[in-house]
């Protein structure tokens, strides 16, 4: 199901102290947050996730990763089987296992907006290189660096990859990846947001100058808000965890939010609380405390 229309804003100021309401949903980022640096889920964290679900608290993985990279946590999605991928561009049912996932909701980046974003950022930051993330395909420019051992389906300039007759033209675009080899990552993010304006949503989750460009109003927060509304869950009943700029909106929206001990300064400023670093099982530390509070 594709969704292109506007959604209710995911920004909010809490009206009720979050601690007054027991949590009904935990929303956690993966890389740098739930996962340790070696990309593993520690036994302590596995136990905490299972305990949360047993206590009736839903756990949603909310990540910038594409669906095909979700095998690292697919066995921990429990009953509902859903994860929010691509910074909110897709809600995915992982029950089928690696390579057999099903897209439940798709919030695509219109190709016209994508082409505008590429053009505007090329003008503002010459030397930017692009890759295109679609629901099932991955396409990139020849100069775009090899990352995560990704094998692109096609190599071509971004303008060609986004053309009406491009390979995969009938498949939704989830996001554009924009990499610059020399610009400071935070400076690149600021520059891109100013250049692209409201044509797309721009964020980043990598320590390098790698930006992630999604449809207007598409973010982890806005898609999480949609999923919570479908379940009758208010933002005050959500506890969120994150570490990078692509988590800021989600942490601001949630009733209670925690920045990891290894988090970016913008995340530390946005969250209502802090926990220890991902390598110290910071998510599990908080979940254990939340469950103890319910007993």
């Amino acid at each position: 199901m594709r969704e292109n229309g506007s959604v209710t804003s995911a920004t909010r100021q809490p009206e009720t102290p979050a601690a007054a309401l027991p949590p009904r949903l935990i929303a956690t980022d993966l890389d740098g947050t739930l996962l340790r640096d070696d990309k593993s889920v520690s036994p302590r964290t596995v136990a905490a996730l299972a305990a949360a679900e047993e206590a009736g608290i839903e756990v949603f993985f909310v990540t910038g990763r594409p669906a095909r990279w979700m095998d690292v946590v697919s066995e921990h999605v429990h009953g509902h089987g859903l994860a929010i991928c691509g910074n909110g561009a897709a809600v995915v049912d992982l029950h089928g296992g690696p390579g057999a996932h099903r897209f439940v909701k798709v919030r695509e980046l219109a190709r016209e907006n994508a082409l505008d974003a590429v053009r505007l950022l090329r003008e503002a930051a010459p030397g930017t290189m692009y890759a295109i993330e679609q629901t099932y395909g991955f396409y990139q420019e020849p100069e775009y660096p090899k990352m995560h051992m990704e094998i692109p389906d096609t190599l071509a300039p971004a303008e060609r990859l986004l053309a009406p007759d491009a390979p995969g033209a009938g498949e939704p675009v989830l996001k554009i990846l924009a990499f610059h080899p020399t610009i400071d990552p935070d400076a690149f993010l600021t520059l891109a947001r100013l250049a692209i304006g409201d044509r797309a949503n721009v964020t980043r989750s990598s320590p390098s100058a790698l930006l992630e460009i999604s449809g207007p109003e598409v973010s982890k927060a806005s898609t999480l808000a949609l999923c919570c509304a479908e379940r009758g869950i208010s933002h005050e009943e959500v506890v969120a965890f994150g570490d990078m700029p692509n988590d800021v909106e989600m942490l601001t929206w949630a009733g209670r939010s925690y920045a990891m001990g290894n988090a970016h300064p913008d995340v530390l400023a946005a969250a209502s609380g802090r926990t220890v670093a991902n390598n110290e099982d910071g998510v599990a530390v908080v979940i254990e405390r939340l469950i103890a509070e319910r007993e």
Side-chain angles (χ1 to χ4, degrees):
M1 176 177 69
R2 301 191 193 182
E3 294 197 358
N4 302 309
S6 61
V7 299
T8 303
S9 171
T11 20
R12 60 97 186 117
Q13 294 296 325
E15 303 84 16
T16 306
L21 292 174
R24 293 179 58 194
L25 188 142
I26 290 168
T28 178
D29 172 52
L30 294 182
D31 297 281
T33 300
L34 187 82
L35 304 181
R36 290 187 167 185
D37 287 347
D38 63 3
K39 306 306 180 186
S40 68
V41 185
S42 75
R44 181 180 182 181
T45 298
V46 170
L49 296 175
E53 293 276 357
E54 186 175 348
I57 305 171
E58 283 196 76
V59 178
F60 259 70
F61 300 128
V62 188
T63 178
R65 285 181 172 226
R68 64 183 177 279
W69 291 2
M70 293 298 289
D71 57 307
V72 67
V73 292
S74 59
E75 63 185 272
H76 306 302
V77 291
H78 300 281
H80 61 80
L82 301 178
I84 296 173
C85 298
N87 291 328
V91 179
V92 183
D93 185 343
L94 301 177
H95 272 138
H101 52 265
R102 179 176 64 89
F103 285 91
V104 176
K105 189 188 302 288
V106 172
R107 304 181 66 200
E108 68 185 289
L109 172 61
R111 286 176 183 259
E112 179 180 356
N113 291 55
L115 285 165
D116 283 345
V118 167
R119 173 180 57 81
L120 292 166
L121 193 51
R122 279 206 200 281
E123 294 171 357
T128 300
M129 311 165 203
Y130 297 95
I132 315 298
E133 185 76 60
Q134 297 185 210
T135 43
Y136 293 101
F138 179 80
Y139 309 88
Q140 70 177 60
E141 296 188 320
E143 300 82 10
Y144 186 84
K146 292 182 178 179
M147 297 182 181
H148 307 288
M149 304 303 291
E150 192 78 71
I151 300 174
D153 296 288
T154 303
L155 293 173
E159 292 82 357
R160 173 60 190 146
L161 296 173
L162 293 166
D165 60 346
E171 188 183 337
V173 174
L174 298 184
K175 64 180 179 179
I176 299 173
L177 300 170
F179 176 79
H180 200 284
T182 60
I183 299 178
D184 171 80
D186 286 330
F188 192 33
L189 177 58
T190 299
L191 182 153
R193 285 174 168 171
L194 289 171
I196 293 171
D198 62 2
R199 292 170 177 81
N201 187 39
V202 186
T203 190
R204 76 177 187 89
S205 60
S206 170
S208 64
L210 177 65
L211 304 182
E212 299 163 68
I213 304 171
S214 305
E217 301 183 3
V218 174
S219 68
K220 289 185 175 186
S222 62
T223 301
L224 178 61
L226 289 171
C227 291
C228 286
E230 292 168 356
R231 289 161 174 75
I233 297 174
S234 72
H235 67 82
E236 296 161 307
E237 297 171 298
V238 176
V239 180
F241 298 87
D243 73 306
M244 287 296 282
N246 64 329
D247 297 313
V248 166
E249 294 95 334
M250 178 174 73
L251 298 178
T252 303
W253 178 80
R256 274 187 275 184
S257 58
Y258 293 87
M260 307 305 293
N262 49 289
H264 185 281
D266 290 352
V267 175
L268 294 171
S272 60
R274 298 187 187 183
T275 185
V276 295
N278 63 316
N279 285 333
E280 301 172 73
D281 301 331
V283 173
V285 168
V286 175
I287 292 176
E288 291 163 359
R289 186 168 72 243
L290 292 174
I291 292 174
E293 289 172 357
R294 294 165 64 98
E295 296 175 350

PDB file of all heavy atoms in Angstrom, residues 127-150:
ATOM      1  N   GLY A 127      30.337  17.334  -6.603  1.00  0.00           N
ATOM      2  CA  GLY A 127      31.083  16.154  -6.174  1.00  0.00           C
ATOM      3  C   GLY A 127      30.250  15.163  -5.386  1.00  0.00           C
ATOM      4  O   GLY A 127      30.749  14.091  -5.011  1.00  0.00           O
ATOM      5  N   THR A 128      28.962  15.487  -5.148  1.00  0.00           N
ATOM      6  CA  THR A 128      28.082  14.559  -4.444  1.00  0.00           C
ATOM      7  C   THR A 128      27.783  13.354  -5.335  1.00  0.00           C
ATOM      8  O   THR A 128      27.568  13.488  -6.539  1.00  0.00           O
ATOM      9  CB  THR A 128      26.767  15.243  -4.049  1.00  0.00           C
ATOM     10  OG1 THR A 128      27.059  16.351  -3.192  1.00  0.00           O
ATOM     11  CG2 THR A 128      25.840  14.281  -3.317  1.00  0.00           C
ATOM     12  N   MET A 129      27.769  12.172  -4.752  1.00  0.00           N
ATOM     13  CA  MET A 129      27.503  10.929  -5.472  1.00  0.00           C
ATOM     14  C   MET A 129      26.238  10.292  -4.897  1.00  0.00           C
ATOM     15  O   MET A 129      25.978  10.391  -3.697  1.00  0.00           O
ATOM     16  CB  MET A 129      28.675   9.958  -5.315  1.00  0.00           C
ATOM     17  CG  MET A 129      30.028  10.573  -5.604  1.00  0.00           C
ATOM     18  SD  MET A 129      31.366   9.516  -4.983  1.00  0.00           S
ATOM     19  CE  MET A 129      32.673  10.736  -4.809  1.00  0.00           C
ATOM     20  N   TYR A 130      25.480   9.592  -5.740  1.00  0.00           N
ATOM     21  CA  TYR A 130      24.151   9.140  -5.342  1.00  0.00           C
ATOM     22  C   TYR A 130      23.939   7.642  -5.527  1.00  0.00           C
ATOM     23  O   TYR A 130      24.519   7.012  -6.411  1.00  0.00           O
ATOM     24  CB  TYR A 130      23.087   9.871  -6.172  1.00  0.00           C
ATOM     25  CG  TYR A 130      23.068  11.355  -5.950  1.00  0.00           C
ATOM     26  CD1 TYR A 130      23.777  12.207  -6.799  1.00  0.00           C
ATOM     27  CD2 TYR A 130      22.357  11.911  -4.900  1.00  0.00           C
ATOM     28  CE1 TYR A 130      23.770  13.574  -6.595  1.00  0.00           C
ATOM     29  CE2 TYR A 130      22.337  13.285  -4.691  1.00  0.00           C
ATOM     30  CZ  TYR A 130      23.045  14.112  -5.538  1.00  0.00           C
ATOM     31  OH  TYR A 130      23.043  15.462  -5.334  1.00  0.00           O
ATOM     32  N   ALA A 131      23.032   7.133  -4.666  1.00  0.00           N
ATOM     33  CA  ALA A 131      22.482   5.791  -4.841  1.00  0.00           C
ATOM     34  C   ALA A 131      20.980   5.882  -4.612  1.00  0.00           C
ATOM     35  O   ALA A 131      20.503   6.780  -3.909  1.00  0.00           O
ATOM     36  CB  ALA A 131      23.102   4.804  -3.866  1.00  0.00           C
ATOM     37  N   ILE A 132      20.239   4.979  -5.217  1.00  0.00           N
ATOM     38  CA  ILE A 132      18.775   4.980  -5.147  1.00  0.00           C
ATOM     39  C   ILE A 132      18.315   3.692  -4.477  1.00  0.00           C
ATOM     40  O   ILE A 132      18.607   2.594  -4.954  1.00  0.00           O
ATOM     41  CB  ILE A 132      18.138   5.075  -6.555  1.00  0.00           C
ATOM     42  CG1 ILE A 132      18.828   6.157  -7.417  1.00  0.00           C
ATOM     43  CG2 ILE A 132      16.633   5.305  -6.439  1.00  0.00           C
ATOM     44  CD1 ILE A 132      18.725   7.554  -6.878  1.00  0.00           C
ATOM     45  N   GLU A 133      17.584   3.848  -3.372  1.00  0.00           N
ATOM     46  CA  GLU A 133      17.041   2.698  -2.645  1.00  0.00           C
ATOM     47  C   GLU A 133      15.566   2.565  -2.998  1.00  0.00           C
ATOM     48  O   GLU A 133      14.776   3.479  -2.776  1.00  0.00           O
ATOM     49  CB  GLU A 133      17.197   2.928  -1.139  1.00  0.00           C
ATOM     50  CG  GLU A 133      16.774   1.772  -0.279  1.00  0.00           C
ATOM     51  CD  GLU A 133      17.795   0.648  -0.270  1.00  0.00           C
ATOM     52  OE1 GLU A 133      18.951   0.869   0.138  1.00  0.00           O
ATOM     53  OE2 GLU A 133      17.407  -0.464  -0.691  1.00  0.00           O
ATOM     54  N   GLN A 134      15.182   1.426  -3.573  1.00  0.00           N
ATOM     55  CA  GLN A 134      13.787   1.164  -3.902  1.00  0.00           C
ATOM     56  C   GLN A 134      13.286  -0.003  -3.047  1.00  0.00           C
ATOM     57  O   GLN A 134      14.012  -0.500  -2.191  1.00  0.00           O
ATOM     58  CB  GLN A 134      13.646   0.900  -5.395  1.00  0.00           C
ATOM     59  CG  GLN A 134      14.054   2.122  -6.222  1.00  0.00           C
ATOM     60  CD  GLN A 134      13.824   1.986  -7.712  1.00  0.00           C
ATOM     61  OE1 GLN A 134      14.533   2.564  -8.514  1.00  0.00           O
ATOM     62  NE2 GLN A 134      12.821   1.237  -8.107  1.00  0.00           N
ATOM     63  N   THR A 135      12.040  -0.391  -3.225  1.00  0.00           N
ATOM     64  CA  THR A 135      11.502  -1.419  -2.347  1.00  0.00           C
ATOM     65  C   THR A 135      12.322  -2.706  -2.427  1.00  0.00           C
ATOM     66  O   THR A 135      12.607  -3.329  -1.413  1.00  0.00           O
ATOM     67  CB  THR A 135      10.024  -1.706  -2.677  1.00  0.00           C
ATOM     68  OG1 THR A 135       9.858  -1.759  -4.097  1.00  0.00           O
ATOM     69  CG2 THR A 135       9.115  -0.649  -2.102  1.00  0.00           C
ATOM     70  N   TYR A 136      12.697  -3.096  -3.632  1.00  0.00           N
ATOM     71  CA  TYR A 136      13.492  -4.318  -3.767  1.00  0.00           C
ATOM     72  C   TYR A 136      14.821  -4.085  -4.485  1.00  0.00           C
ATOM     73  O   TYR A 136      15.746  -4.878  -4.333  1.00  0.00           O
ATOM     74  CB  TYR A 136      12.694  -5.401  -4.506  1.00  0.00           C
ATOM     75  CG  TYR A 136      11.510  -5.892  -3.713  1.00  0.00           C
ATOM     76  CD1 TYR A 136      10.218  -5.443  -3.986  1.00  0.00           C
ATOM     77  CD2 TYR A 136      11.679  -6.797  -2.669  1.00  0.00           C
ATOM     78  CE1 TYR A 136       9.130  -5.891  -3.243  1.00  0.00           C
ATOM     79  CE2 TYR A 136      10.595  -7.249  -1.917  1.00  0.00           C
ATOM     80  CZ  TYR A 136       9.314  -6.790  -2.217  1.00  0.00           C
ATOM     81  OH  TYR A 136       8.250  -7.223  -1.483  1.00  0.00           O
ATOM     82  N   GLY A 137      14.948  -3.018  -5.233  1.00  0.00           N
ATOM     83  CA  GLY A 137      16.168  -2.776  -5.993  1.00  0.00           C
ATOM     84  C   GLY A 137      17.068  -1.738  -5.351  1.00  0.00           C
ATOM     85  O   GLY A 137      16.633  -0.899  -4.575  1.00  0.00           O
ATOM     86  N   PHE A 138      18.352  -1.805  -5.700  1.00  0.00           N
ATOM     87  CA  PHE A 138      19.339  -0.832  -5.255  1.00  0.00           C
ATOM     88  C   PHE A 138      20.178  -0.431  -6.463  1.00  0.00           C
ATOM     89  O   PHE A 138      20.744  -1.286  -7.143  1.00  0.00           O
ATOM     90  CB  PHE A 138      20.242  -1.413  -4.157  1.00  0.00           C
ATOM     91  CG  PHE A 138      21.288  -0.451  -3.673  1.00  0.00           C
ATOM     92  CD1 PHE A 138      20.970   0.543  -2.767  1.00  0.00           C
ATOM     93  CD2 PHE A 138      22.591  -0.545  -4.123  1.00  0.00           C
ATOM     94  CE1 PHE A 138      21.930   1.440  -2.323  1.00  0.00           C
ATOM     95  CE2 PHE A 138      23.572   0.340  -3.684  1.00  0.00           C
ATOM     96  CZ  PHE A 138      23.239   1.336  -2.779  1.00  0.00           C
ATOM     97  N   TYR A 139      20.237   0.871  -6.750  1.00  0.00           N
ATOM     98  CA  TYR A 139      20.907   1.391  -7.942  1.00  0.00           C
ATOM     99  C   TYR A 139      21.844   2.513  -7.519  1.00  0.00           C
ATOM    100  O   TYR A 139      21.551   3.253  -6.581  1.00  0.00           O
ATOM    101  CB  TYR A 139      19.866   1.923  -8.934  1.00  0.00           C
ATOM    102  CG  TYR A 139      18.743   0.940  -9.224  1.00  0.00           C
ATOM    103  CD1 TYR A 139      17.598   0.902  -8.427  1.00  0.00           C
ATOM    104  CD2 TYR A 139      18.836   0.037 -10.269  1.00  0.00           C
ATOM    105  CE1 TYR A 139      16.581  -0.007  -8.667  1.00  0.00           C
ATOM    106  CE2 TYR A 139      17.822  -0.885 -10.524  1.00  0.00           C
ATOM    107  CZ  TYR A 139      16.690  -0.906  -9.713  1.00  0.00           C
ATOM    108  OH  TYR A 139      15.685  -1.810  -9.964  1.00  0.00           O
ATOM    109  N   GLN A 140      22.964   2.646  -8.219  1.00  0.00           N
ATOM    110  CA  GLN A 140      23.906   3.682  -7.816  1.00  0.00           C
ATOM    111  C   GLN A 140      24.694   4.230  -8.993  1.00  0.00           C
ATOM    112  O   GLN A 140      24.760   3.623 -10.071  1.00  0.00           O
ATOM    113  CB  GLN A 140      24.878   3.144  -6.763  1.00  0.00           C
ATOM    114  CG  GLN A 140      25.880   2.128  -7.298  1.00  0.00           C
ATOM    115  CD  GLN A 140      26.869   1.689  -6.243  1.00  0.00           C
ATOM    116  OE1 GLN A 140      26.495   1.134  -5.210  1.00  0.00           O
ATOM    117  NE2 GLN A 140      28.149   1.935  -6.495  1.00  0.00           N
ATOM    118  N   GLU A 141      25.285   5.396  -8.749  1.00  0.00           N
ATOM    119  CA  GLU A 141      26.202   5.971  -9.727  1.00  0.00           C
ATOM    120  C   GLU A 141      27.528   5.218  -9.668  1.00  0.00           C
ATOM    121  O   GLU A 141      27.890   4.660  -8.627  1.00  0.00           O
ATOM    122  CB  GLU A 141      26.412   7.450  -9.434  1.00  0.00           C
ATOM    123  CG  GLU A 141      25.148   8.269  -9.589  1.00  0.00           C
ATOM    124  CD  GLU A 141      25.378   9.767  -9.483  1.00  0.00           C
ATOM    125  OE1 GLU A 141      26.175  10.196  -8.627  1.00  0.00           O
ATOM    126  OE2 GLU A 141      24.757  10.495 -10.266  1.00  0.00           O
ATOM    127  N   PRO A 142      28.272   5.205 -10.780  1.00  0.00           N
ATOM    128  CA  PRO A 142      29.533   4.450 -10.794  1.00  0.00           C
ATOM    129  C   PRO A 142      30.530   4.903  -9.728  1.00  0.00           C
ATOM    130  O   PRO A 142      31.284   4.091  -9.185  1.00  0.00           O
ATOM    131  CB  PRO A 142      30.079   4.706 -12.208  1.00  0.00           C
ATOM    132  CG  PRO A 142      28.865   5.006 -13.028  1.00  0.00           C
ATOM    133  CD  PRO A 142      27.930   5.744 -12.113  1.00  0.00           C
ATOM    134  N   GLU A 143      30.526   6.223  -9.397  1.00  0.00           N
ATOM    135  CA  GLU A 143      31.500   6.759  -8.454  1.00  0.00           C
ATOM    136  C   GLU A 143      31.104   6.540  -6.993  1.00  0.00           C
ATOM    137  O   GLU A 143      31.916   6.731  -6.090  1.00  0.00           O
ATOM    138  CB  GLU A 143      31.691   8.261  -8.688  1.00  0.00           C
ATOM    139  CG  GLU A 143      32.189   8.621 -10.079  1.00  0.00           C
ATOM    140  CD  GLU A 143      31.058   8.664 -11.107  1.00  0.00           C
ATOM    141  OE1 GLU A 143      29.866   8.602 -10.699  1.00  0.00           O
ATOM    142  OE2 GLU A 143      31.358   8.752 -12.319  1.00  0.00           O
ATOM    143  N   TYR A 144      29.844   6.190  -6.761  1.00  0.00           N
ATOM    144  CA  TYR A 144      29.371   6.025  -5.386  1.00  0.00           C
ATOM    145  C   TYR A 144      30.173   4.917  -4.703  1.00  0.00           C
ATOM    146  O   TYR A 144      30.369   3.842  -5.270  1.00  0.00           O
ATOM    147  CB  TYR A 144      27.881   5.675  -5.404  1.00  0.00           C
ATOM    148  CG  TYR A 144      27.222   5.604  -4.049  1.00  0.00           C
ATOM    149  CD1 TYR A 144      26.744   6.749  -3.424  1.00  0.00           C
ATOM    150  CD2 TYR A 144      27.062   4.381  -3.405  1.00  0.00           C
ATOM    151  CE1 TYR A 144      26.127   6.676  -2.180  1.00  0.00           C
ATOM    152  CE2 TYR A 144      26.451   4.292  -2.164  1.00  0.00           C
ATOM    153  CZ  TYR A 144      25.986   5.448  -1.550  1.00  0.00           C
ATOM    154  OH  TYR A 144      25.380   5.376  -0.330  1.00  0.00           O
ATOM    155  N   PRO A 145      30.670   5.148  -3.486  1.00  0.00           N
ATOM    156  CA  PRO A 145      31.551   4.155  -2.855  1.00  0.00           C
ATOM    157  C   PRO A 145      30.831   2.858  -2.518  1.00  0.00           C
ATOM    158  O   PRO A 145      29.623   2.842  -2.239  1.00  0.00           O
ATOM    159  CB  PRO A 145      32.018   4.864  -1.575  1.00  0.00           C
ATOM    160  CG  PRO A 145      30.962   5.886  -1.300  1.00  0.00           C
ATOM    161  CD  PRO A 145      30.462   6.339  -2.638  1.00  0.00           C
ATOM    162  N   LYS A 146      31.578   1.774  -2.523  1.00  0.00           N
ATOM    163  CA  LYS A 146      31.019   0.490  -2.129  1.00  0.00           C
ATOM    164  C   LYS A 146      30.834   0.489  -0.615  1.00  0.00           C
ATOM    165  O   LYS A 146      31.770   0.730   0.139  1.00  0.00           O
ATOM    166  CB  LYS A 146      31.946  -0.654  -2.540  1.00  0.00           C
ATOM    167  CG  LYS A 146      32.031  -0.854  -4.041  1.00  0.00           C
ATOM    168  CD  LYS A 146      32.917  -2.035  -4.380  1.00  0.00           C
ATOM    169  CE  LYS A 146      32.974  -2.260  -5.884  1.00  0.00           C
ATOM    170  NZ  LYS A 146      33.861  -3.394  -6.243  1.00  0.00           N
ATOM    171  N   MET A 147      29.604   0.241  -0.177  1.00  0.00           N
ATOM    172  CA  MET A 147      29.306   0.229   1.248  1.00  0.00           C
ATOM    173  C   MET A 147      28.537  -1.039   1.588  1.00  0.00           C
ATOM    174  O   MET A 147      27.648  -1.460   0.845  1.00  0.00           O
ATOM    175  CB  MET A 147      28.477   1.454   1.637  1.00  0.00           C
ATOM    176  CG  MET A 147      29.196   2.779   1.409  1.00  0.00           C
ATOM    177  SD  MET A 147      28.199   4.176   1.942  1.00  0.00           S
ATOM    178  CE  MET A 147      29.300   5.527   1.514  1.00  0.00           C
ATOM    179  N   HIS A 148      28.869  -1.632   2.723  1.00  0.00           N
ATOM    180  CA  HIS A 148      28.159  -2.814   3.225  1.00  0.00           C
ATOM    181  C   HIS A 148      28.134  -3.952   2.198  1.00  0.00           C
ATOM    182  O   HIS A 148      27.210  -4.749   2.170  1.00  0.00           O
ATOM    183  CB  HIS A 148      26.726  -2.444   3.611  1.00  0.00           C
ATOM    184  CG  HIS A 148      26.638  -1.285   4.542  1.00  0.00           C
ATOM    185  ND1 HIS A 148      27.004  -1.371   5.860  1.00  0.00           N
ATOM    186  CD2 HIS A 148      26.237  -0.004   4.351  1.00  0.00           C
ATOM    187  CE1 HIS A 148      26.830  -0.201   6.448  1.00  0.00           C
ATOM    188  NE2 HIS A 148      26.377   0.641   5.569  1.00  0.00           N
ATOM    189  N   MET A 149      29.132  -4.001   1.338  1.00  0.00           N
ATOM    190  CA  MET A 149      29.216  -5.056   0.327  1.00  0.00           C
ATOM    191  C   MET A 149      27.965  -5.106  -0.554  1.00  0.00           C
ATOM    192  O   MET A 149      27.567  -6.141  -1.056  1.00  0.00           O
ATOM    193  CB  MET A 149      29.442  -6.423   0.990  1.00  0.00           C
ATOM    194  CG  MET A 149      30.661  -6.492   1.881  1.00  0.00           C
ATOM    195  SD  MET A 149      32.201  -6.058   1.017  1.00  0.00           S
ATOM    196  CE  MET A 149      32.362  -7.467  -0.075  1.00  0.00           C
ATOM    197  N   GLU A 150      27.339  -3.960  -0.739  1.00  0.00           N
ATOM    198  CA  GLU A 150      26.126  -3.883  -1.554  1.00  0.00           C
ATOM    199  C   GLU A 150      26.473  -4.092  -3.025  1.00  0.00           C
ATOM    200  O   GLU A 150      27.437  -3.518  -3.541  1.00  0.00           O
ATOM    201  CB  GLU A 150      25.473  -2.515  -1.376  1.00  0.00           C
ATOM    202  CG  GLU A 150      24.078  -2.396  -1.917  1.00  0.00           C
ATOM    203  CD  GLU A 150      23.049  -3.036  -0.992  1.00  0.00           C
ATOM    204  OE1 GLU A 150      22.777  -2.494   0.075  1.00  0.00           O
ATOM    205  OE2 GLU A 150      22.522  -4.098  -1.381  1.00  0.00           O
TER     206      GLU A 150
END
